Structure formats: C-alpha cells, structure tokens
Amino acid sequence: MNLSPQLAKLLNEQINNEMASSYAYLAMAAWLEETPYGGFAQWMFAQSREETTHALKFYQYLVNRDARVELQPVAKPKQDFKSPLDVFEHSLKQEQKVTAQINRIYEVAEKVKDHTSKNLLLWFLNEQIEEEKQVKDMRDRLKLAGSDPASLLTLDREAASRKSAGGGDAAASA
Ligand SMILES: [Fe+2]
Ligand SMILES: [Fe+2]
C-alpha cells in the first residue's frame, strides 16, 4: 500500500520537527556549558542526540515505505536562557509541541486507514509520555530547589547520571 500524499508530507515535516528539536536541545546544552551546570548540559546534549535518532527513524520509515524524502532547512534555535529552570520550562514546551504534532499525524493515519503508520506513531506517542514525564519531574524539582546552590548542584549531578545510565533508550529501541 502506498503512503498517502498527505501522510508522506506530514512525516517529512516531522523529520524537520525532530531535527529542529535536536537543534533546540543542542542550543540549551551549549548555554548550560557556560554555567557551572555540566550535568544539565550533558542531559540536554543526550536529549539532542535522541531527537536526531527520532528524525532518522522517520527518515528510514519513509524510505522503507518507498516514499520521497524531502529535507527542509532547520530553523535557528533559541540560544539564551535565564536559568536551568528556564531551560527545562522550554524543554517541556518543546516536548508538548512534539506530542501535539505526532497526535495530529496519527489522526491522519487513522483517517486514511494506514495501520503501519499508526503503529510507528504509537511508538512515538508512548515515547512522548516518558519524555514529558522526565522533563516535568526535573522541572518540578528545580522549582523546589529555587536558588539554593547545594540543591541545584545535587540535581545537576543527578541529571548527569540519568543520561549516562538510561539516555540511549530511544536509540536502542528504534
Ligand atoms: Fe522526538
Ligand atoms: Fe523529545
């Protein structure tokens, strides 16, 4: 069964959205590298890589379905932030935006009865639940830490260990 043109267009756009996401996280990592928070920087760097693997997963799917891949320019990301909390607030918004994008593509896949695409998109929707939760948990704890340096550094250390322990999830199951 050929991919519907509408679905092919949206999946191509999603390659770009995931790359834009990867770029947004790389900019967050770079900003954090200029602060004492090397752990948060590592978290965002790993997150950036993960988004690239998502883009590649959509790419590979289009190739496998014999559809045309059309790459678009990636927008310049936001590069200035106020604090680690501000970074995580932006990260959460970024993830919520991606969840909405994937839900929208899923609806189209359902409309054209493309069950294989629905299956792919369900994998992504489940992934989004996990990503949103991880970011939200850290955001909440950063709020709690406020401007207390000791608490912030504890969270920073945790951020580093979380990513080195479980950061490759998406890549591993992709
Ligand atoms: Fe993603
Ligand atoms: Fe994500």
Side-chain angles (χ1 to χ4, degrees):
M1 176 179 144
N2 280 340
L3 211 53
S4 88
Q6 191 190 5
L7 204 48
K9 184 172 176 287
L10 287 170
L11 290 168
N12 266 298
E13 279 172 17
Q14 199 56 30
I15 295 180
N16 191 266
N17 291 336
E18 300 287 344
M19 290 306 283
S21 201
S22 175
Y23 231 38
Y25 283 126
L26 197 57
M28 291 178 198
W31 184 84
L32 285 159
E33 288 288 1
E34 291 177 33
T35 71
Y37 305 110
F40 294 132
Q42 247 177 282
W43 169 306
M44 290 303 164
F45 184 82
Q47 198 59 47
S48 171
R49 286 180 104 125
E50 205 166 300
E51 300 304 344
T52 303
T53 68
H54 292 169
L56 298 180
K57 203 171 156 92
F58 281 113
Y59 165 89
Q60 195 60 57
Y61 181 73
L62 284 165
V63 169
N64 291 349
R65 289 293 304 268
D66 228 359
R68 180 123 208 254
V69 172
E70 285 183 76
L71 302 179
Q72 300 295 332
V74 179
K76 182 175 175 171
K78 176 179 167 59
Q79 313 211 60
D80 286 311
F81 301 91
K82 292 191 208 83
S83 60
L85 174 61
D86 186 38
V87 170
F88 276 81
E89 295 282 15
H90 277 89
S91 170
L92 184 57
K93 274 197 205 109
Q94 174 66 34
E95 290 308 324
Q96 287 166 340
K97 191 170 86 186
V98 169
T99 302
Q101 286 162 348
I102 295 175
N103 266 311
R104 154 119 178 78
I105 310 174
Y106 186 91
E107 280 162 24
V108 173
E110 197 163 52
K111 200 183 77 198
V112 301
K113 297 192 170 65
D114 188 326
H115 303 296
T116 322
S117 295
K118 277 166 65 180
N119 187 48
L120 173 86
L121 293 160
L122 266 187
W123 181 89
F124 274 102
L125 286 173
N126 284 316
E127 175 76 11
Q128 285 308 115
I129 291 180
E130 202 186 309
E131 289 204 4
E132 280 192 36
K133 183 177 181 339
Q134 281 175 338
V135 176
K136 212 178 283 173
D137 285 352
M138 186 54 87
R139 192 268 322 252
D140 291 346
R141 298 170 75 203
L142 278 166
K143 266 191 185 165
L144 213 60
S147 55
D148 174 48
S151 308
L152 287 169
L153 288 173
T154 302
L155 291 177
D156 182 66
R157 226 175 2 252
E158 262 183 53
S161 66
R162 171 228 152 189
K163 273 304 174 180
S164 53
D169 285 5
S173 53

